[in-house]
């Protein structure tokens, strides 16, 4: 989950809207927390 590219670079690479990436990252982190019951 480290940031090696900017949001705009990732969005262009995967043909996504830049606002989707932080949303997906937040969802993934929340899912990991609930998986381990933290």
């Amino acid at each position: 989950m480290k940031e090696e590219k900017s949001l705009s670079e990732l969005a262009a690479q995967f043909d996504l809207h830049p606002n989707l990436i932080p949303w997906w990252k937040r969802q993934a982190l929340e899912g990991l927390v609930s998986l381990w019951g933290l």
Side-chain angles (χ1 to χ4, degrees):
M1 296 265 184
K2 60 183 174 180
E3 297 176 18
E4 295 181 1
K5 294 184 178 183
S6 71
L7 290 179
S8 58
E9 289 173 325
L10 288 171
Q13 180 179 349
F14 296 105
D15 194 29
L16 300 169
H17 192 281
N19 290 340
L20 285 176
I21 296 169
W23 184 82
W24 283 342
K25 182 178 179 179
R26 186 170 48 254
Q27 294 297 313
L29 290 174
E30 289 173 3
L32 289 173
V33 168
S34 66
L35 180 65
W36 281 292
L38 300 174

